[in-house]
Amino acid sequence: MRKSPRLQSAQADQCKHLKDFIRVMAVLGIESSCDETAVAVYCPQRGLLAEALRSQVDIHAEYGGVVPELASRDHIRHLPRLVRKALAESGVPGPELDAVAYTAGPGLIGALLAGAAVAAGLVQAWGRPLIPVHHMEGHLLAPLIAGDAVDFPFLALLVSGGHTLLIECRALGDYQVLGQTLDDAVGEAFDKTASLLDLPYPGGPALAALAAQGQPGRFALPRPLTSKRSLDFSFSGLKTAAMLLVRDTSAADRADIARAFEDAVVDTLVKKCLWALADTGLRTLFVAGGVAANQSLRQQLQVALEPQGAQVLFPPPALCTDNGAMIAHVGSLRLAQGRLPPCEVPTRARWSLADLEPPA
């Protein structure tokens, strides 16, 4: 039986609407704020489609820290290859992307410019929107990449090599900083203490591995700024106390010192998170940044929050350090919810989360 032209036309329209419905958004994200060169393609409906990453650890290890000029040159050298790799793995051609997002700051200015230049060239070639992303907003919302259905508002703890922040997150782009470090960031304190213990760079994971072998309670180290109810942080004094302990003990005590240091950091972070939850009345805590991969911190927060009827969410460990997925993810949120920034390519070495604005 032949279909009538009207029925054929109606079915064709249905097919067209179905194709429109199942079409997925895809955003390319470029991260180059420090010493990780990362590109990813993210789709809100299907999750992370592809990720390409190059670590510069081997380059900077001999210097004991990141050398900005070397980081910038390596980004420039490898970003085009990583873009091609991510696009090939995602199956999304560049001209069919919905947008290109890149880390606009904060970070090393030369490294930021490397990623921004590549992103600007891609959107010029493909005719796509360009979305600058705040590096810490990328970390902040990384727990959502796994698909957890969590609504604003919530509390966030950002712990990395450059930042230690407690933030009340009211909406996308609407963040109030409740507490921050007055000196060293927690990740920096981990790395510097690891160096005192003659551990390899990067020091944070190495110190955590050594701490797992240590005896708890053998050495006592201070819990900074916890004698009064403050949401700010300070880790320089703790680092100094660890330095004096290393000086006055033998190499055989290194694991116990590492354990004492890690316990002091974790106790401090957990206590301030509990204070912030109580002060704000929030019941959900996001924890993100490189130090969020620390297993002791994860375990202690889960134990502490459960009796309070609160939940804590972490990104997968692979997404705790700098990555392209978090930049593509925030780019997709910004694209879906409204106002895009002007077409210029801004980069900012210093940039407060409080300066962000919600989408229109």
Side-chain angles (χ1 to χ4, degrees), residues 85-173:
K85 183 174 186 288
L87 289 176
E89 291 182 1
S90 73
V92 181
E96 294 183 16
L97 291 166
D98 289 271
V100 174
Y102 71 98
T103 301
L108 303 175
I109 192 63
L112 292 169
L113 286 169
V118 171
L122 294 176
V123 299
Q124 184 70 25
W126 297 334
R128 303 288 87 190
L130 180 65
I131 305 176
V133 171
H134 193 294
H135 178 77
M136 298 311 295
E137 188 177 30
H139 278 303
L140 176 73
L141 301 178
L144 296 175
I145 295 176
D148 293 305
V150 179
D151 292 328
F152 291 95
F154 55 83
L155 180 72
L157 172 69
L158 293 184
V159 276
S160 68
H163 300 83
T164 309
L165 297 168
L166 270 171
I167 303 165
E168 182 178 354
C169 307
R170 300 163 175 168
L172 180 67

Side-chain angles (χ1 to χ4, degrees), residues 2-22:
R2 295 186 62 184
K3 299 176 182 177
S4 70
R6 180 178 296 179
L7 179 59
Q8 287 178 329
S9 176
Q11 289 180 333
D13 287 341
Q14 283 183 334
C15 289
K16 179 180 182 299
H17 293 321
L18 179 60
K19 288 179 180 178
D20 290 341
F21 177 77
I22 65 175

